[in-house]
Amino acid sequence: MFRAILLERSSERSGPRLAKLEKSDLPEGDVTVRVSHSTLNYKDGLAFTGKVPVVRSYPMVPGIDFAGVVEESSNPRFKVGDHVILNGFGVGEDHWGGLAEYARVKGDWLIPLPKGMSAAHAMALGTAGYTAMLCVMALEKQGVTPDKGEVIVTGAGGGVGGIAVLLLSRLGYDVAASTGRPEEADYLKGLGAKTIIERKELSEAGRPLQKARWAGAVDSVGSHTLANVCAQMKDDGVVTACGLAQGLDFPASVAPFILRGVILVGINSVYRSLADRTEAWKRLASEIDFNKVDGMTRTIPLSDAIDAARDLIDGKIRGRVIVDVSK
């Protein structure tokens, strides 16, 4: 038997619990992984709390990320003993995920753990770090270089935002970090932010076209925040949108896109090509300062994941949380 967080919804039981399951309970897949570490992302918090219908079938083991070692495989890409990681592909939503001691998945969803990166560090980054890297790659692809001007990161106190600040500053960008927690200013400056922006400056309805300030943006918030960021972009500025912490709506006008040539790039981290995934993780392994990642990360046992997921949704968690599923 193995331990897992199990989400249930029935007349008899509802919500998350720490359960003991049989390996025969695992869903279909051609690779079975003994999971060593997982993590908590905003989407995991939504799954735990049910605030947004993230989970598509029950019972469900949540956890959109995991790292571990292959224990069984009929997939030619992997053999027993390989170290692997997984992000996305509906895992933790419609296929059992990583907050368990075992996971069985399609091998095509896995990539090898990058050389020189531990499983714990991979989950310190997780989907948050991987998404942040995809945002950076999108900015680069659209020609946003450090000499073009300031780049703003919204939701900077969260996982995606914090790692985006760390990556962009390390690559030479001048980074402004937007946060609703002014007490986190020193923390964000430690990650590399040069300027701190109060969340309320962006989170309320604003004019469709505002003073041009930003050459690029990483937005994990959505709603009015995303609309205001777009309204403040310089000519040919690029905004990468990857989150919805404030809401799914986008109360904006076409003015920034027509009058300034602003480009809005949606970042889909769930269903991404193997080439993009491999490149993003390769760059994370080579460009992340893991000493700083350690400073923005804490590790919890599997049994604490339920409470931590609630704290994440309530905005009580800074940075990243690693879940050591063996504890």
Side-chain angles (χ1 to χ4, degrees):
M1 299 187 75
F2 66 95
R3 297 179 309 139
I5 302 295
L6 194 66
L7 304 180
E8 297 171 295
R9 180 169 290 178
S10 67
S11 57
E12 294 154 358
R13 186 187 294 273
S14 182
R17 67 183 176 97
L18 184 62
K20 286 191 175 181
L21 304 173
E22 300 278 357
K23 287 178 75 173
S24 58
D25 294 325
L26 289 167
E28 292 184 359
D30 56 6
V31 178
T32 301
V33 178
R34 182 170 183 86
V35 178
S36 63
H37 297 82
S38 186
T39 184
L40 292 174
N41 295 283
Y42 193 77
K43 185 180 284 187
D44 297 313
L46 294 175
F48 273 76
T49 60
K51 287 190 172 183
V52 173
V54 169
V55 176
R56 300 186 181 96
S57 64
Y58 292 89
M60 177 59 60
V61 174
I64 63 175
D65 297 319
F66 65 74
V69 180
V70 173
E71 195 163 280
E72 301 172 17
S73 176
S74 59
N75 186 296
R77 292 182 59 230
F78 298 100
K79 65 182 184 301
V80 174
D82 284 347
H83 293 258
V84 295
I85 54 177
L86 183 143
N87 313 101
F89 285 110
V91 170
E93 299 175 69
D94 55 24
H95 188 97
W96 283 15
L99 286 168
E101 292 176 315
Y102 280 95
R104 183 176 292 140
V105 298
K106 292 182 179 180
D108 291 343
W109 298 346
L110 299 165
I111 66 169
L113 181 71
K115 290 182 179 179
M117 182 183 289
S118 69
H121 274 153
M123 290 299 99
L125 299 172
T127 287
Y130 158 64
T131 300
M133 189 74 246
L134 291 175
C135 291
V136 171
M137 290 165 58
L139 291 175
E140 293 173 336
K141 184 177 181 180
Q142 295 296 331
V144 181
T145 51
D147 61 292
K148 295 292 180 63
E150 283 185 289
V151 174
I152 186 169
V153 176
T154 66
V160 174
I163 296 172
V165 170
L166 181 59
L167 279 168
L168 288 164
S169 63
R170 189 172 175 86
L171 291 169
Y173 293 85
D174 287 341
V175 182
S178 171
T179 179
R181 292 175 275 180
E183 68 275 11
E184 302 291 0
D186 289 342
Y187 159 73
L188 292 169
K189 287 181 179 179
L191 294 179
K194 289 194 173 181
T195 306
I196 306 299
I197 305 293
E198 287 278 356
R199 179 173 61 194
K200 63 184 179 182
E201 292 184 29
L202 299 169
S203 60
E204 298 177 359
R207 289 177 286 112
L209 204 62
Q210 302 171 32
K211 181 180 178 181
R213 181 168 182 181
W214 318 114
V218 175
D219 176 70
S220 61
V221 178
S223 191
H224 288 292
T225 297
L226 176 57
N228 284 318
V229 167
C230 289
Q232 295 176 11
M233 299 304 294
K234 292 182 174 182
D235 288 351
D236 303 318
V238 181
V239 180
T240 57
C242 63
L244 44 75
Q246 188 178 3
L248 279 164
D249 60 323
F250 182 40
S253 81
V254 298
F257 309 104
I258 294 175
L259 300 180
R260 292 182 182 165
V262 172
I263 297 171
L264 178 60
V265 182
I267 302 299
N268 175 12
S269 64
V270 178
Y271 299 104
R272 200 76 178 205
S273 71
L274 178 61
D276 284 351
R277 289 172 180 273
T278 303
E279 176 65 16
W281 277 100
K282 180 181 177 182
R283 289 193 60 183
L284 285 168
S286 64
E287 294 176 8
I288 280 286
D289 182 343
F290 283 105
N291 289 324
K292 289 190 175 181
V293 170
D294 290 341
M296 62 183 291
T297 304
R298 67 185 177 101
T299 301
I300 63 171
L302 184 63
S303 57
D304 287 355
I306 295 173
D307 288 339
R310 296 190 181 109
D311 288 343
L312 179 63
I313 290 297
D314 290 340
K316 297 177 180 178
I317 288 181
R318 178 180 77 182
R320 300 287 295 145
V321 175
I322 301 171
V323 180
D324 186 337
V325 301
S326 67
K327 296 181 179 178

